[in-house]
Each structure stands twice: as structure tokens, then as C-alpha cells.
Amino acid sequence: MRSFSLFSLLSLSPLLVNGQLSGTVGPLSSSSSKASTKTCDVTDYGAVADKKTDIGDAISQAWDDCSNGGVVYIPPGDYAMSTWLKLSGGKASAIQLDGIIYRTGSDGGNMFMIEHSSDFEFFSSTSKGAIQGLGYEFHKDGSLSGPRLLRFYDVQDFSVHDIALVDSPAFHLSVDTCTNGELYNMAVRGGDSGGLDGIDVWSENIWVHDVEVTNKDECVTVKSPAKNILVENIYCNWSGGCAMGSLGADTNISDITYRNVYTWKSNQMYMIKSNGGSGTVENVVLENFIGHGNSYSLDIDGAWSSMDTVDGDGVQLTNITVRNWTGGEENGAERGPVKVVCAEKAPCTEITIEDFAMWTESGDSQSNTCENAFGSGSCLQEGDGSSTYSTAVTDTAAPSGYSATTMAEDLTTAFGTDASIPIPTIPTTFYPGATPYSALAGAGSAAATPAATAAAASRMRRRTWH
Ligand SMILES: *[C@@H]1O[C@H](CO)[C@@H](O)[C@H](O)[C@H]1NC(C)=O
Ligand SMILES: *[C@@H]1O[C@H](CO)[C@@H](O)[C@H](O)[C@H]1NC(C)=O
Ligand SMILES: *[C@@H]1O[C@H](CO)[C@@H](O)[C@H](O)[C@H]1NC(C)=O
Ligand SMILES: *[C@@H]1O[C@H](CO)[C@@H](O)[C@H](O)[C@H]1NC(C)=O
């Protein structure tokens, strides 16, 4: 269950009817009920909002007191963090980050690592909480050796929402071997460079929705192993783009849906990347994609030259449906909208490309490439994969219906890598015409302490249910 507030009960139905998830996601109890059990305000543990004093130890002590039923509360204010946290164990807890944490330490690793926990929520009640990684201090010297911002490992029944993750020295958010998670209402804004992934997920039963990513590497990406992942209403606002991979030996990915993905000025709209390797990817749907100004669009590449060859005949891709893509690609003659290149010894099967209408933004032709990929649509050939082929098909006329809307505020100049990146406001729209599933936590209300929220929630329960 996502939470017990009335608002969330009303919005619970979409995830119950969604096939690609295997069950409910999110914390089992609300942050207000946790707060009424116990609140550990970090300022009572030595935290000072002076942007100088290390907040690490204060959060660690507050976690010790509140991780088994309670809320670690970081009030509004600017804090510095120079020691990293491994917050382990616990149950029925939350971290309410209403302040902004600025990285001041320079160790590698993860600024926040949450592990072996359950019924957990990491959120901002004002939608203004942020971690500012100041990664440009590393990147301006060409270094990617700094920390990642946030990593979840072996966490069950959890959510992360209403926070901004900014300018990570390395990756922004990794979700590793977790189950039943919900990530939403987030803005990730990183430097214009590879190696600065937005959100990477390798887990089971995870719903990622209403998220904006700016960077030049992974937007929202699924890695192996993964199962039952639903990624919806995603705005790659100048990014590397969404992807699956890199895939290597013993790949095990199934039941993945991406829906409503808007991609602007990225390397690709969706890429599945491997080079050799083994194992399978199956039952994938990529639907309702809009792209503008991207290098690649659909890019399934089983011989991806940017990764070293992995032992094995190739990763087997089966039952992949690409549906309802519109918009344009940057240069269709150089990089057409469809590239499906599968390994000779691991041909792709049951691939479907339908309602696909994209056209080049420069020049007057586009070239689609298919290799050892079987199914229907575009340049795919019918068959079961027992033969090999390679074909390139050039279009010289725009398909009907390719024209697609743009988001009003696409980023027009990259943030670069050598100057501080401003903390964004979390947007309230992530895909044209799609209403986010949840209002921002901070919509229309002033900051509230966990205790006040708990009191208000219990007053509301009494008023409504008696
Ligand atoms: C793939 O992962 C599923 C769990 O998601 C597991 O049950 C299955 O055994 C795995 N398959 C292989 C070949 O590892
Ligand atoms: C193909 O994948 C879709 C989406 O996961 C699923 O609904 C469908 O049952 C799969 N088809 C087969 C033949 O497994
Ligand atoms: C196709 O995507 C567009 C937006 O990109 C959406 O408005 C439309 O409803 C989708 N069509 C179907 C059949 O889902
Ligand atoms: C896209 O990114 C730019 C720069 O961060 C920002 O100004 C703009 O508001 C973003 N668009 C939306 C709709 O959030």
C-alpha cells in the first residue's frame, strides 16, 4: 500500500489494475503514523543549518533512535554533509528531508545508502528537499571519482518522492535488489556528461512515475536482474535517454513497461544495449513515446561498440512491443528512428513495432536498420530466427501522423560540467497530456513538522470516519 491518507486511497486504483506490476508498492504505513510513534529531529542530535557543520553524525544518531518505528526529520535549512551514511536495518521508518543537504566531503561511495530495511519512505513534505552534490567540483577537473548520492539495497515496501537530486559527482539514484518500491515526483538534474546516471533500477515490482531527468547518461534505466518494472510519465529533459543495460552474462529481465516517455535532446529515446553476453530479456512494452532532437530513437544494439565484448552468444530478446512513437530525430539519414541489431547467434524474436511515425528533423530521408530481428513492423522480417539477415530501408517521405507536441520548457542550453547547477523546482507535468498520479506533497501547504502532520492526520481521521 502506498500510504493510508485519503488522497492516496483515491489514487490507489491505477496500480492495482496495472498488469506489469506484481502487487502493491510503497510503504506499508504512512509517515504520519510513524511520526506519531516517534520523531527524531536531527537538530536535537547536533545538526546545524549553517551549511558548514557536518550533518552526517546527527542523521546517523537520529536513525539509531527512529529506525524501528519513527521519522528522522531534517527541517528546512541548508546543511553540509562531509561523512557518508550507511543506514541499515529498521522497519516502519521514514526520512523527511525538508532541508537541503550540500556535499562537502570528497570520499567515493554513496552519500546515503539505505539497506536491509522495510516499510520505509524517503521524502520531502514540502517538495523542496534536495541533495546538492556539487559534482562540478570534480567534473571541472575531468574526474568522476566522487560519491553517488543515494542508493537503496535490499529494501522492501518503500517509496522515494518529492525530492530533487542535483549534480551528483557520479550516479544519482540506484535501486539494487529491492522489492515493492515507488519512486515519484522527483527531479534529477546532473551535469552534461556520461557517468552521471539519473535513476538505475535492478529490482522487482517497482513503479517509477512522474520523474524528470537532466544529464547526459541514463535517464531511467533498467539493469539485470529485474522483473515487474513499470516506468511512466518520464521527462528526459536533455539526457542520455532511457535504456536497458548494459546487459552482460546471465541477463534476466522480464515484464517491463515504459509508458509516456518524452525525450528531448538525448542520445536516444530507448536503447537496449549489449555486446555478447547471455540470458534473456522478455515481455517488454515501450509505448507512447515522444521524441525531439535526439540522436537515436529506438536503438536495440546487440553489438554495442561502447562496451567490451562479454563471453556468450548474445542476450536473447523475445516479445518486445514498441507502440505509438511520434516526433522527430535529429538526422535520420545518419541515425534513423529504427535500429534493431541483434546477434547472429541470439536473434531477437517476437518483436513488434506498430503505430510508429517518426521523421527526420534535418534533410529529407531516414534510414532504418534491422539485423537478425524477427517479428512485424518497420524493417523487421517475419520468421522464427532460424535464418540471418541484415537490411537497411530508406524512407524518403514523412509518415503521416509523425508530428508531436513539445513540452513548453525544454532545456535549451546544457548545464555543462564546470559550474554549479541550480536546484530545480519539481515539475507538475512530465508528459504531454498526462496528469501525475499524485499531487506534489508540498502543493499549497507550508512546511509542517512531522508532529503537526501526525496531529492533523489523526484529527482528519476522526472527522471523516466517525
Ligand atoms: C530470473 O529471475 C527470476 C526472479 O525474478 C528467478 O525466479 C529465475 O530463476 C531467474 N532465472 C534465471 C535463469 O536465473
Ligand atoms: C508478451 O509481453 C506482454 C507484456 O509483458 C505480455 O502481456 C504477453 O503475455 C507476452 N506474450 C507472451 C506470448 O508471453
Ligand atoms: C499515443 O500517444 C499519444 C501521446 O503521445 C496519446 O495521446 C495517445 O492516446 C496514444 N494512443 C494510444 C492508442 O494509446
Ligand atoms: C527543463 O529543464 C530546464 C532546465 O532545467 C528547465 O528550465 C525547464 O523548466 C525544464 N522543463 C520542465 C517542464 O520542467
Side-chain angles (χ1 to χ4, degrees):
M1 272 141 282
R2 306 176 57 204
S3 89
F4 292 119
S5 76
L6 290 180
F7 179 83
S8 298
L9 283 175
L10 293 175
S11 59
L12 205 59
S13 44
L15 84 169
L16 293 179
V17 298
N18 204 295
Q20 210 60 294
L21 295 172
S22 58
T24 51
V25 293
L28 302 172
S29 50
S30 69
S31 62
S32 55
S33 73
K34 292 165 182 170
S36 56
T37 307
K38 191 168 186 177
T39 296
C40 299
D41 183 328
V42 293
T43 60
D44 295 333
Y45 294 82
V48 187
D50 61 0
K51 227 174 156 182
K52 264 199 334 248
T53 309
D54 177 26
I55 197 177
D57 192 48
I59 295 176
S60 174
Q61 287 183 41
W63 175 259
D64 287 347
D65 281 359
C66 261
S67 62
N68 280 294
V71 175
V72 172
Y73 176 47
I74 303 164
D78 290 341
Y79 304 87
M81 184 155 150
S82 60
T83 55
W84 306 161
L85 293 164
K86 187 180 265 192
L87 305 175
S88 207
K91 196 176 174 172
S93 65
I95 294 179
Q96 181 175 331
L97 173 62
D98 289 346
I100 297 171
I101 294 179
Y102 293 81
R103 178 197 58 79
T104 53
S106 56
D107 290 348
N110 300 284
M111 284 180 69
F112 279 88
M113 166 112 174
I114 318 286
E115 61 170 22
H116 311 308
S117 195
S118 62
D119 187 4
F120 176 72
E121 184 170 359
F122 192 109
F123 75 110
S124 167
S125 76
T126 57
S127 308
K128 291 186 178 139
I131 305 176
Q132 167 55 281
L134 300 169
Y136 78 97
E137 292 175 355
F138 290 86
H139 306 150
K140 66 182 180 348
D141 302 323
S143 164
L144 291 169
S145 67
R148 302 171 182 199
L149 297 191
L150 184 55
R151 183 181 185 94
F152 282 67
Y153 172 63
D154 183 30
V155 180
Q156 283 86 46
D157 304 308
F158 67 101
S159 66
V160 186
H161 63 97
D162 291 275
I163 57 167
L165 299 175
V166 187
D167 198 10
S168 180
F171 298 176
H172 290 79
L173 171 58
S174 306
V175 180
D176 172 357
T177 321
C178 296
T179 47
N180 309 339
E182 183 180 10
L183 320 179
Y184 62 101
N185 290 352
M186 293 179 61
V188 174
R189 186 189 268 183
D192 189 45
S193 157
L196 307 179
D197 296 18
I199 299 180
D200 292 322
V201 178
W202 60 107
S203 285
E204 276 193 44
N205 198 38
I206 308 288
W207 189 24
V208 184
H209 62 94
D210 302 298
V211 167
E212 176 185 26
V213 176
T214 300
N215 61 356
K216 208 61 193 177
D217 209 321
E218 310 301 340
C219 181
V220 179
T221 283
V222 170
K223 294 175 178 282
S224 177
K227 191 171 163 63
N228 299 113
I229 312 284
L230 174 60
V231 180
E232 268 185 296
N233 300 347
I234 302 300
Y235 183 18
C236 308
N237 183 6
W238 193 305
S239 172
C242 291
M244 197 175 282
S246 313
L247 307 175
D250 303 320
T251 294
N252 187 0
I253 296 181
S254 66
D255 304 294
I256 311 293
T257 292
Y258 279 71
R259 175 183 300 149
N260 298 358
V261 176
Y262 180 92
T263 311
W264 159 248
K265 277 268 191 201
S266 297
N267 301 340
Q268 79 271 338
M269 289 168 67
Y270 202 87
M271 182 172 194
I272 302 180
K273 43 190 173 179
S274 59
N275 189 1
S278 59
T280 58
V281 172
E282 59 188 18
N283 307 343
V284 175
V285 177
L286 307 172
E287 66 184 358
N288 310 349
F289 276 54
I290 293 175
H292 297 289
N294 304 297
S295 304
Y296 288 95
S297 303
L298 174 65
D299 183 12
I300 298 179
D301 193 345
W304 189 42
S305 57
S306 299
M307 78 182 269
D308 293 336
T309 312
V310 178
D311 281 350
D313 287 344
V315 178
Q316 175 77 55
L317 274 48
T318 304
N319 188 20
I320 314 251
T321 298
V322 176
R323 182 192 293 143
N324 193 20
W325 286 38
T326 54
E329 72 276 1
E330 201 177 27
N331 183 339
E334 273 179 25
R335 291 174 295 268
V338 172
K339 176 180 173 191
V340 184
V341 171
C342 304
E344 211 176 289
K345 291 182 179 160
C348 300
T349 54
E350 295 173 51
I351 311 295
T352 305
I353 301 178
E354 58 192 15
D355 295 330
F356 190 102
M358 297 197 56
W359 183 238
T360 185
E361 290 164 2
S362 62
D364 50 17
S365 72
Q366 64 185 18
S367 179
N368 298 311
T369 311
C370 291
E371 219 173 285
N372 308 321
F374 298 87
S376 62
S378 188
C379 51
L380 297 169
Q381 292 194 359
E382 285 180 12
D384 59 3
S386 52
S387 53
T388 63
Y389 78 91
S390 174
T391 187
V393 175
T394 299
D395 308 325
T396 52
S400 67
Y402 76 89
S403 162
T405 183
T406 51
M407 295 286 272
E409 301 172 272
D410 285 337
L411 174 60
T412 49
T413 312
F415 285 108
T417 52
D418 58 2
S420 184
I421 295 179
I423 296 170
T425 304
I426 298 181
T428 50
T429 172
F430 302 84
Y431 187 82
T435 306
Y437 282 93
S438 304
L440 292 185
S445 63
T449 63
T453 310
S458 75
R459 271 198 306 280
M460 185 156 129
R461 262 198 301 276
R462 276 197 298 276
R463 199 168 54 232
T464 317
W465 290 344
H466 284 240

